[in-house]
């Protein structure tokens, strides 16, 4: 599965760096094109000449090279790769990745990469179990990186425990599995609504909510990674997304979101309504900024269009509609009611009563309910992991 794949191997300062030679050799043997990026401290454990010889490509370790100071373009490197794997990944490099630091070519390449990134930690057992390292590894997973857990065995310190970098053969197996897995949403067109809507009162004020759009954007990425052609209709948010399978349509109001969603719904196989659309909007929008006058002000509101319900009424038997319910009381019964009233096949329920769930968090705790009232509960997870659970539930529904 690796034949013709372009792989960046990042090597950091760890005694496990000697395994990078075996790993690079195995990748080349599999038919992959390999480029190695090293940190300066990695050179204390293995030479660039060794890895250059095995990879059949120059090894990069600084931003410039050669007598004329040619630039080693980290942006081009990041865009070149089909996958990047940092093996071994030291505690130092893991900490820098987790906190967005960029003081060497490897880190700059990582920040420029648009491909899947794998990280294979290697360190002593107490370092590996330190709360700061565990927290940093959790952050890496939240970013969408895939962490290949260290294994148990004898360590360089002489201690026995978990901290050994996964063996090169296992790393190759992980990459083969990743590239070989069938993309289960290939050929499917997916519509996802995300974020809040802003309903204007006047040119400078609006009615909105605290939705960040993180859940919808994570769903779009996971669906696209499974081969789907995704249209992401997003309300106002600071988030960005770049994926060849994702078309991002930015809107502000509920009316704009409905128009954008309706335009593609008929051709959609799967619609995921994760946006927090305002239930009410001002019946009249002032042309000019409303000046402060008096002790009170009244704004007359009217009900907005229910996007999920309106499109759900047009749903065809070959389409799947998935909704979201953010509740504060009688959560399950309210969610079950929405399944019927909005013609959902699945609904994702989360409660503001659960710590770490709801708007503004990087985590969420959900339950997925189907039309037969089967309920699948999940633990508190990162929104990236929650998105994967939801996409897997959709795939299971398609395959049922």
């Amino acid at each position: 599965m690796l034949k013709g794949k372009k792989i960046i191997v990042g090597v950091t300062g760890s005694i496990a760096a000697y395994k990078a030679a075996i790993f690079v050799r195995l990748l080349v043997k599999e038919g992959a094109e390999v480029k190695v990026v090293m940190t300066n401290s990695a050179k204390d454990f293995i030479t660039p000449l060794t890895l250059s010889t095995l990879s059949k490509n120059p090894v990069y370790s600084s931003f410039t090279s050669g007598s004329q100071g040619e630039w080693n373009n980290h942006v081009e490197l990041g865009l070149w790769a089909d996958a990047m794997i940092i093996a071994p990944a030291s505690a130092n490099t893991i900490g820098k990745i987790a906190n967005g630091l960029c003081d060497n070519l490897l880190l700059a390449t990582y920040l420029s990469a648009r491909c899947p990134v794998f990280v294979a930690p290697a360190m002593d057992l107490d370092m590996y179990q330190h709360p700061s390292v565990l927290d940093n590894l959790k952050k890496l997973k939240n970013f969408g990186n895939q962490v290949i857990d260290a294994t148990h065995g004898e360590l360089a310190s002489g201690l026995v425990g978990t901290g050994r970098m996964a063996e090169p053969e296992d790393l190759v197996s992980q990459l083969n599995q990743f590239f070989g897995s069938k993309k289960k949403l290939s050929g499917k067109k997916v519509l996802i609504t995300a974020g809040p809507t802003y309903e204007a009162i006047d040119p400078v004020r609006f009615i909105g909510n605290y939705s960040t759009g993180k859940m919808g954007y994570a769903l779009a990425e996971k669906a696209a990674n499974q081969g789907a052609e995704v249209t992401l209709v997003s309300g106002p948010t600071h988030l960005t997304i770049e994926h060849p399978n994702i078309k991002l349509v930015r809107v502000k109001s509920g009316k704009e979101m409905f128009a954008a969603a309706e335009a593609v719904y008929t051709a959609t196989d799967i619609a995921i309504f994760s946006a927090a659309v305002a239930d009410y909007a001002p019946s009249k929008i002032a042309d000019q900024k409303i000046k402060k006058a008096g002790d009170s002000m009244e704004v007359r509101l009217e009900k907005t269009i229910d996007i999920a319900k309106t499109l759900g009424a047009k749903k065809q038997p070959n389409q799947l509609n998935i909704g979201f319910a953010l509740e504060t009381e009688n959560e399950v019964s309210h969610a079950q009611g929405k399944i019927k009233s909005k013609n959902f096949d699945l609904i994702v329920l989360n409660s503001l009563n659960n710590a770490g769930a709801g708007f503004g968090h990087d985590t969420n705790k959900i339950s997925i309910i189907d039309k037969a009232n089967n309920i699948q509960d999940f633990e508190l997870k990162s929104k990236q992991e929650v998105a994967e659970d939801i996409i897997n539930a959709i795939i299971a529904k398609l395959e049922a």
Side-chain angles (χ1 to χ4, degrees):
M1 295 298 175
L2 295 179
K3 186 174 182 179
K5 298 298 183 185
K6 299 173 181 177
I7 311 292
I8 291 176
V9 176
V11 184
T12 70
S14 164
I15 187 63
Y18 79 90
K19 293 183 180 181
I22 304 168
F23 180 44
V24 168
R25 183 177 180 276
L26 290 174
L27 288 174
V28 172
K29 191 175 180 180
E30 290 272 326
E33 185 177 352
V34 181
K35 292 185 179 181
V36 177
V37 182
M38 304 177 70
T39 63
N40 283 327
S41 59
K43 297 177 187 177
D44 293 333
F45 299 92
I46 189 169
T47 67
L49 178 60
T50 297
L51 295 174
S52 176
T53 302
L54 294 171
S55 68
K56 300 178 174 59
N57 275 312
V59 168
Y60 304 95
S61 60
S62 61
F63 289 97
T64 59
S65 60
S67 58
Q68 301 301 314
E70 292 90 353
W71 181 33
N72 293 324
N73 191 329
H74 59 279
V75 176
E76 288 185 1
L77 274 172
L79 297 178
W80 170 84
D82 295 309
M84 179 177 185
I85 179 166
I86 304 173
S90 65
N92 182 52
T93 292
I94 290 169
K96 288 180 177 181
I97 291 174
N99 291 283
L101 301 182
C102 183
D103 62 359
N104 61 46
L105 182 64
L106 174 57
L107 295 168
T109 303
Y110 163 78
L111 290 173
S112 301
R114 296 183 184 174
C115 61
V117 177
F118 299 78
V119 177
M123 63 198 75
D124 206 63
L125 75 166
D126 293 313
M127 296 173 66
Y128 192 58
Q129 292 301 320
H130 195 279
S132 63
V133 173
L134 295 175
D135 187 55
N136 287 335
L137 288 171
K138 185 177 179 181
K139 285 183 180 179
L140 265 59
K141 292 178 182 178
N142 289 344
F143 296 158
N145 300 318
Q146 300 191 43
V147 175
I148 302 173
D149 294 331
T151 62
H152 187 275
E154 186 176 354
L155 304 171
S157 64
L159 299 174
V160 175
T162 301
R164 289 171 60 92
M165 187 184 89
E167 295 303 317
E169 294 82 2
D170 294 329
L171 299 181
V172 172
S173 177
Q174 289 265 5
L175 289 174
N176 266 317
Q177 183 178 356
F178 174 80
F179 285 111
S181 60
K182 182 182 177 182
K183 297 184 183 298
K184 296 185 178 180
L185 294 181
S186 293
K188 299 294 184 183
K189 293 187 177 181
V190 177
L191 163 67
I192 298 174
T193 65
T197 62
Y198 287 177
E199 310 299 337
I201 297 172
D202 63 19
V204 298
R205 301 179 180 91
F206 61 85
I207 295 173
N209 56 60
Y210 294 116
S211 174
T212 62
K214 291 178 182 178
M215 190 73 259
Y217 277 66
L219 284 164
E221 186 174 13
K222 296 297 181 183
N225 287 342
Q226 283 288 353
E229 182 182 333
V230 180
T231 298
L232 175 61
V233 181
S234 172
T237 172
H238 70 281
L239 300 176
T240 59
I241 195 164
E242 292 187 19
H243 192 292
N245 286 11
I246 298 175
K247 178 184 178 183
L248 176 60
V249 180
R250 293 194 181 274
V251 297
K252 287 186 178 180
S253 69
K255 284 184 179 180
E256 291 174 352
M257 182 171 285
F258 173 72
E262 185 184 38
V264 300
Y265 181 74
T266 303
T268 292
D269 298 296
I270 302 163
I272 306 175
F273 300 99
S274 66
V277 184
D279 294 322
Y280 292 88
S283 57
K284 183 179 179 181
I285 303 172
D287 293 331
Q288 303 294 327
K289 178 183 175 182
I290 299 172
K291 297 298 184 181
K292 182 167 60 176
D295 295 329
S296 64
M297 183 183 82
E298 291 185 3
V299 177
R300 185 176 178 82
L301 303 177
E302 61 183 20
K303 204 169 186 178
T304 59
I305 189 166
D306 189 322
I307 298 173
K309 185 175 183 178
T310 304
L311 295 181
K314 303 177 182 180
K315 186 167 82 74
Q316 299 300 309
N318 63 319
Q319 292 179 305
L320 281 182
N321 280 13
I322 294 87
F324 275 69
L326 176 62
E327 304 292 344
T328 59
E329 59 180 357
N330 301 321
E331 292 97 336
V332 173
S333 62
H334 286 161
Q336 290 169 333
K338 288 181 179 179
I339 291 177
K340 294 180 181 178
S341 67
K342 302 190 181 187
N343 203 12
F344 290 144
D345 297 280
L346 299 171
I347 193 163
V348 180
L349 168 65
N350 52 258
S351 170
L352 283 178
N353 295 319
N354 293 324
F359 296 153
H361 295 284
D362 292 323
T363 55
N364 206 353
K365 186 178 188 298
I366 66 165
S367 298
I368 298 178
I369 308 173
D370 65 14
K371 282 188 172 181
N373 290 328
N374 296 309
I375 303 175
Q376 188 176 7
D377 296 318
F378 296 85
E379 297 300 318
L380 184 71
K381 297 182 179 182
S382 72
K383 286 187 174 176
Q384 291 286 339
E385 293 172 307
V386 170
E388 190 163 351
D389 288 335
I390 295 169
I391 295 299
N392 286 340
I394 293 169
I395 292 170
K397 188 73 175 175
L398 289 171
E399 295 176 343

